């Protein structure tokens, strides 16, 4: 059975806009794809393609300057030129997009797949768990009664966006039971079957919600189809964060485990002189949220996906948790009284539960000090991400104000 049609109000398949708007969207998206192709082909294009800082004029190579065409409101379906392929055995025929684009879509997002660094000297960081060094939380203990059920809600991403903080906060709710570790069922262990997955879940009583979080689901091509096959009404939560900050945080985590890896500046570019960003590096690719979201919108309407701001989860955790509880159909029990700000770590922690001897704060792997990054590299990354951020805002109907956040710095 094919995927469900998207409701028109949610901007799904059936959404149609004025011809002029659709033309602008198509042109803008085509230009963004062109830039990505040049990035992936190693800088064969002219020097004027140093960044996608705004595609205002003619789409001819050499005159790509800024994505003014993105000022319209493209429907999510307008990104279907970026549709990620399924597994090789069932992959769709190649689209009209360039071979380089097709290769880009197929590479490196599969968990465990390694990418060659410039010159082939080292392997880049494979797609990994964002909390491999986390222990299961001691909060919301699993009862010895009830039964194990498949999850009704999933935190599907993104890595280094704030998923662990969200999971720990929602587990403070008495009507939520969640797995403390990341099961990675829909990306790494799918062949083990749903019964294996069910047995991983905690026991719950009738009326309680079973949850799990695995951030790599969001960038796994097969995950939407597999989750939809399990339960098409599954609620999905995505924690997103400024993609530049997220990439640096991702690198910082890898650096703590592999101090011998190249610098962030080396890994971020295919050609530093031309300013060509290496979008094949997973730390960069994960932050192109609009492309990944398009894959999910083939199977789930926007009404089943909640986007949580990783930044607001730090400055206003109670406010973001109110949205999460409403989305899950829960009474607002986790409120501001559950949080305190940890000055040492620089983010909120849960206050000590009545049945625990210690506050529930994130582990030592959270709140690491980021390495100092060349400001020019950050500037180029901001230009690279900007058109994709704008598309993401339009697809979700939410402005996360990442550009405003950067201009305030």
């Amino acid at each position: 059975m094919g995927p469900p049609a998207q409701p028109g109000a949610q901007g799904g398949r059936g959404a149609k806009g004025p011809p002029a708007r659709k033309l602008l969207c198509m042109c803008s998206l085509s230009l963004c794809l062109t830039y990505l192709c040049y990035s992936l082909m190693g800088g064969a294009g002219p020097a004027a393609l140093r960044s996608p800082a705004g595609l205002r004029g003619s789409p001819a190579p050499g005159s790509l300057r800024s994505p003014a065409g993105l000022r319209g409101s493209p429907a999510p379906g307008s990104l279907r030129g970026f549709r990620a392929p399924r597994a090789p055995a069932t992959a769709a025929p190649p689209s009209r997009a360039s071979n380089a684009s097709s290769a880009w879509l197929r590479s490196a997002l599969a968990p465990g797949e390694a990418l060659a660094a410039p010159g082939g000297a080292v392997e880049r960081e494979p797609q990994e768990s964002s909390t491999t060094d986390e222990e299961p939380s001691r909060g919301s203990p699993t009862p010895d009664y009830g039964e194990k059920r498949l999850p009704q809600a999933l935190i599907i991403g993104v890595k280094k966006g704030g998923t662990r903080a969200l999971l720990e906060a929602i587990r403070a709710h008495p009507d939520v039971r969640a797995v403390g570790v990341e099961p990675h069922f829909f990306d790494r262990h799918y062949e083990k079957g749903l019964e294996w997955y069910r047995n991983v879940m905690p026991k719950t009583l009738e009326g309680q919600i079973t949850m799990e979080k695995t951030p790599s689901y969001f960038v796994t091509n097969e995950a939407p189809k597999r989750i939809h096959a399990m339960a098409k009404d599954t609620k999905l939560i995505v924690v997103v964060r400024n993609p530049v900050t997220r990439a640096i945080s991702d690198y910082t985590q890898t650096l703590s485990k592999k101090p011998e890896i190249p610098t962030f500046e080396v890994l971020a570019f295919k050609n530093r002189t031309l300013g060509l960003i290496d979008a094949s590096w997973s730390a960069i690719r994960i932050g192109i949220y609009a492309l990944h979201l398009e894959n999910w919108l083939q199977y789930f309407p926007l009404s089943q996906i909640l986007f949580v701001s990783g930044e607001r989860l730090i400055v206003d955790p109670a406010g973001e948790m109110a949205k999460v509880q409403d989305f899950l159909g829960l009474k607002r029990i986790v409120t501001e009284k559950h949080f305190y700000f940890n000055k040492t770590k620089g983010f909120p922690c849960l206050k000590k539960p009545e049945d625990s001897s210690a506050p529930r704060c994130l582990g030592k792997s959270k709140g690491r000090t980021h390495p100092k990054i060349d400001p020019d590299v950050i500037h180029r990354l901001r230009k690279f991400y900007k058109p994709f951020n704008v598309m993401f805002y339009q697809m979700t109907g939410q402005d996360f104000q990442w550009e405003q956040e950067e201009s305030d710095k």
Side-chain angles (χ1 to χ4, degrees):
M1 182 179 294
Q6 303 298 313
Q10 296 294 337
R13 291 173 185 257
K16 294 184 179 180
R21 179 179 297 173
K22 292 182 67 176
L23 181 59
L24 282 173
C25 295
M26 291 173 65
C27 290
S28 300
L29 296 173
S30 175
L31 293 171
C32 290
L33 178 57
T34 300
Y35 175 75
L36 278 173
C37 293
Y38 276 112
S39 293
L40 293 162
M41 288 188 292
L49 284 172
R50 292 178 183 174
S51 72
L55 313 172
R56 278 201 185 97
S58 166
S63 61
L64 300 180
R65 296 198 178 119
S66 180
L70 290 174
R71 291 173 187 163
S73 301
S78 63
L79 279 176
R80 291 205 168 86
F82 296 103
R83 185 172 297 161
R86 306 282 201 281
T90 58
S95 67
R96 296 180 182 177
S98 69
N99 291 335
S101 172
S102 298
W104 180 83
L105 285 166
R106 291 188 181 95
S107 68
L109 279 185
E113 183 177 353
L115 294 172
V122 299
E123 283 190 335
R124 299 202 182 211
E125 182 71 3
Q127 185 63 36
E128 61 173 38
S129 162
S130 65
T131 53
T132 51
D133 52 351
E134 292 287 343
E135 295 181 357
S137 168
R138 296 180 178 85
S140 298
T142 301
D144 292 330
Y145 43 85
E147 63 179 280
K148 294 188 175 185
R149 297 177 173 87
L150 292 171
Q152 297 91 47
L154 301 172
I155 300 173
I156 60 173
V158 298
K159 180 183 177 184
K160 308 310 296 180
T163 58
R164 172 59 58 177
L166 176 61
L167 181 72
E168 293 303 312
I170 196 60
R171 293 180 82 189
H173 199 290
D175 290 334
V176 172
R177 290 290 180 267
V179 185
V181 295
E182 297 172 2
H184 284 278
F185 175 66
F186 295 105
D187 58 354
R188 299 180 187 174
H189 303 300
Y190 192 65
E191 73 285 353
K192 294 182 178 179
L194 285 173
E195 280 309 304
W196 176 90
Y197 187 46
R198 189 195 306 272
N199 285 331
V200 172
M201 297 298 128
K203 291 181 179 179
T204 55
L205 299 174
E206 192 68 33
Q208 290 182 319
I209 293 176
T210 304
M211 291 184 66
E212 69 114 322
K213 77 105 175 172
T214 304
S216 53
Y217 290 164
F218 189 63
V219 296
T220 299
N221 292 336
E222 288 294 322
K225 180 180 180 181
R226 290 169 173 176
I227 294 171
H228 184 267
M230 176 187 74
K232 63 183 180 181
D233 59 348
T234 304
K235 293 186 176 181
L236 309 171
I237 301 175
V238 187
V239 188
V240 290
R241 181 183 184 187
N242 185 318
V244 177
T245 309
R246 197 222 66 81
I248 297 172
S249 181
D250 196 335
Y251 172 80
T252 303
Q253 174 175 285
T254 303
L255 184 65
S256 70
K257 301 173 184 178
K258 300 180 179 180
E260 74 281 1
I261 65 172
T263 65
F264 182 89
E265 289 84 351
V266 168
L267 294 173
F269 289 97
K270 268 193 173 295
N271 187 313
R272 177 73 184 272
T273 302
L274 295 178
L276 290 170
I277 303 297
D278 190 353
S280 68
W281 183 27
S282 64
I284 300 294
R285 290 183 64 185
I286 290 172
I288 309 176
Y289 304 137
L291 302 187
H292 306 306
L293 178 58
E294 171 62 13
N295 193 30
W296 290 87
L297 292 178
Q298 296 177 50
Y299 294 91
F300 295 93
L302 278 175
S303 59
Q304 280 177 235
I305 308 176
L306 177 69
F307 300 93
V308 175
S309 167
E311 287 83 11
R312 289 197 289 271
L313 198 56
I314 293 174
V315 299
D316 181 21
E320 287 301 289
M321 290 310 302
K323 298 175 187 176
V324 172
Q325 291 169 96
D326 290 349
F327 175 70
L328 296 175
L330 299 170
K331 183 178 179 181
R332 290 187 181 183
I333 291 178
V334 182
T335 60
E336 59 275 356
K337 67 182 181 182
H338 284 77
F339 300 94
Y340 75 96
F341 189 80
N342 185 308
K343 293 182 180 179
T344 302
K345 287 185 171 291
F347 50 71
C349 297
L350 286 168
K351 291 182 180 178
K352 183 178 70 173
E354 294 178 1
D355 59 350
S356 173
S357 59
R360 289 163 58 189
C361 207
L362 300 184
K364 62 182 180 180
S365 67
K366 306 302 179 183
R368 296 185 183 98
T369 300
H370 290 179
K372 184 174 178 59
I373 307 297
D374 184 340
D376 178 64
V377 172
I378 294 176
H379 175 70
R380 290 177 184 273
L381 279 174
R382 288 172 180 170
K383 283 189 172 183
F384 172 81
Y385 280 121
K386 184 174 181 178
F388 299 108
N389 290 345
V390 172
M391 281 188 276
F392 185 65
Y393 298 164
Q394 293 169 344
M395 292 172 74
T396 62
Q398 296 177 234
D399 184 351
F400 292 91
Q401 300 182 332
W402 292 322
E403 289 70 29
Q404 179 65 38
E405 170 191 323
E406 291 164 350
S407 67
D408 292 341
K409 292 181 180 179

